[in-house]
Each structure stands twice: as C-alpha cells, then as structure tokens.
Amino acid sequence: MGPLGFSTTESARLLLFGVLALSVVLAEQEGENLSGLSNNPDKAIFAVRENGTTCLMVEFAVRFLVPYDVLALNGIDLITEQASFTLPLGAEIEGKCASTESEIHISWKNREYILRIYFSKEFREKGVEVWKISKVQFVYDTSETSHFINAYNPGKHTASTHRLSALVTPAGQSFVCTAQQTLTLISSDHQKGITMSMYDIQIQPFDIASDFMFSEPYKCITDQRERLEETLPLILGFILGLIIIITLTVYHFHLKLTATQPQFPRDTSMYKNM
C-alpha cells in the first residue's frame, strides 16, 4: 500500500491518467482571427494553432445565398426569398488538427451562424498523397432578422454537402485560387439548396512548416487557364514577330547575294554569223 492508502497498481493507474490529462492540456488547440492583417476588406484570415504552432490556416472571402420561405400577401401561399450575406471578418474561430483529419469552425452572431469545414488526407493513384475538403456544414437561423426578413416558421437549420471532394491539393502545399469556387449545400429546411461561394482563397490544413506562413502554393485549374488565356496572345504575337523578322532577314540576304553575283558579257558572235 502507498502512503495514501492506494495500492501500487492503483497508483500506477492514477499516474497514467495524470500523464494523459497533461498531454491533453499540452495539446491544446486554439483559433485565432487574423483578419485585421488582410488588405482586402472582404477577405478573412483564420488560423488554428496547436501548442503555440500554426497547424491550419484559411484565407478567403465567402458569400452565402440562402433561400427561405415567406408568406405571400394573400396570407395562404408561400414564396421563396433569397438572403445574401458574407462571412464577417469578426467571426470567432475554433478548430482541431490531426495528421490525416482537421477542421475549422467559424461562428458569428452569438453562434446563430456556424460554418464548419472538414479536411482530410488520402492517397490517390501512384501513391500520391493529397488533401481535400471532405465536408462542409452551415448552421443558420431564419429567426435572425438582419438577413431573413419576415421568414415563415423561423428556426435553426443545418445545410451540408454530400460526398464532397473539393480543392484537391498535393500534400505539403497550400491551395490558391483567385477565381470563385462554388459549393452547394442541402438544407434541412425542405431540402433547399444553399450556395456558398469562396474567392481569393488560400488554404492549408496540414503540414504547415512555418508559423503563420503558407507553404508552396498550388494554383487552381481556373487560375491556370486564365493565366494561359492572358499570356497566349503575347506568345503568339512573339512567335509571329519572330517569323516576320526571320523572313525579312532571309529576303534581305537573298537580295544581297543576287546583287553581288558577277555579270558575264553575253556572247553575240553566233548572232553575227547568221
């Protein structure tokens, strides 16, 4: 028996429990809102940190388009209105980080609105490891009158994606996209479709090497295509100009060679004897 009346086995269990509890405390994760550092008034910057080190970063602007019902003027029929609003920069942040799964929860208006984004890692063909957005949930309250005016039967609803695989990015890199990326979520409010549009995006949920610093960017296909469309006319113009220069140069040398060729006198004797 130990000095406090515990057996050796019980003391070992208590010690193990204390170590586990300490590890939970040491692995504390906290969210930080860094939107004040953004140069874009519409773009939010959020981070999740574990043990004082950044493990997830999200930088984007988000707009929601949420349909809801209102009572028609006849007091009988229902008509559908659209609430349009953006993700506020002053939102509160929570999150979790792990080796193959992570998530960020963004809430505002006293948690009347909650956006949850879930990330996961997986291996694709040829053993290539990637990360992606695997699920998005959006909780909203139609009794909140700043966006939902005269909503019929107001209350809280949850909208979710279904079998999502979005923003697929090679592991160890951050996803970057200026172009708009749109997701559709299905709401518990009569299966209404909610549109969530993200733009000016940079996201990295895993493998952040430096604190508050994104890793190497992986540009989205849309941005790559737009960049190609911008540079293609320049490339074609350069090639065309080069062809014209080469043609003129060859023609110039041809004229020069022709001009310097020796001119032999014509033999007219055969004409005199005729």
Side-chain angles (χ1 to χ4, degrees), residues 166-178:
L167 313 191
V168 178
T169 304
Q173 293 183 261
S174 62
F175 178 87
V176 175
C177 196
T178 303

Side-chain angles (χ1 to χ4, degrees), residues 21-263:
L22 180 61
S23 66
V24 171
V25 172
L26 291 176
E28 181 181 359
Q29 294 169 339
E30 59 180 357
E32 290 197 24
N33 189 332
L34 307 173
S35 301
L37 303 176
S38 175
N39 295 325
N40 186 336
D42 297 324
K43 185 164 65 174
I45 305 175
F46 305 129
V48 178
R49 310 187 78 215
E50 181 179 69
N51 296 332
T53 302
T54 306
C55 57
L56 186 158
M57 278 188 71
V58 174
E59 183 174 336
F60 56 9
V62 183
R63 176 169 291 278
F64 299 93
L65 191 63
V66 184
Y68 67 101
D69 292 330
V70 298
L71 201 61
L73 293 176
N74 60 16
I76 301 173
D77 299 324
L78 294 177
I79 58 176
T80 301
E81 296 285 354
Q82 300 275 0
S84 177
F85 50 91
T86 58
L87 177 68
L89 303 187
E92 296 181 357
I93 312 303
E94 296 176 345
K96 297 177 183 178
C97 294
S99 58
T100 58
E101 292 184 351
S102 62
E103 58 193 71
I104 185 168
H105 301 180
I106 307 167
S107 61
W108 63 99
K109 288 271 186 180
N110 295 319
R111 300 184 68 83
E112 290 180 335
Y113 300 93
I114 307 172
L115 175 63
R116 301 186 182 104
I117 305 176
Y118 299 85
F119 306 90
S120 64
K121 267 186 177 182
E122 63 181 30
F123 284 94
R124 295 285 177 96
E125 296 179 2
K126 299 180 181 180
V128 177
E129 190 177 22
V130 299
W131 64 261
K132 64 179 183 179
I133 295 180
S134 54
K135 185 179 181 181
V136 175
Q137 279 189 341
F138 180 53
V139 178
Y140 62 99
D141 193 342
T142 55
S143 62
E144 199 280 302
T145 56
S146 63
H147 299 306
F148 301 97
I149 302 171
N150 299 325
Y152 177 77
N153 194 20
K156 274 203 170 185
H157 303 283
T158 301
S160 303
T161 55
H162 181 62
R163 295 182 181 178
L164 182 63
S165 181
L167 313 191
V168 178
T169 304
Q173 293 183 261
S174 62
F175 178 87
V176 175
C177 196
T178 303
Q180 180 174 295
Q181 304 291 302
T182 301
L183 301 176
T184 300
L185 293 71
I186 303 303
S187 174
S188 58
D189 182 15
H190 299 89
Q191 301 297 297
K192 289 182 172 65
I194 291 176
T195 301
M196 173 181 160
S197 300
M198 303 178 289
Y199 50 97
D200 287 342
I201 309 166
Q202 187 162 15
I203 296 176
Q204 186 172 357
F206 303 101
D207 307 319
I208 295 179
S210 301
D211 206 20
F212 295 121
M213 294 288 291
F214 288 107
S215 299
E216 179 186 353
Y218 175 79
K219 290 190 176 181
C220 64
I221 299 298
T222 310
D223 279 7
Q224 292 179 24
R225 187 183 300 116
E226 289 180 353
R227 180 67 182 273
L228 180 61
E229 290 173 353
E230 290 174 358
T231 56
L232 188 58
L234 297 176
I235 295 172
L236 292 177
F238 173 78
I239 294 173
L240 181 59
L242 190 61
I243 291 172
I244 293 172
I245 291 172
I246 292 172
T247 303
L248 291 175
T249 303
V250 171
Y251 181 68
H252 172 74
F253 277 108
H254 171 72
L255 291 178
K256 192 173 182 181
L257 288 173
T258 303
T260 57
Q261 224 173 19
Q263 299 293 325

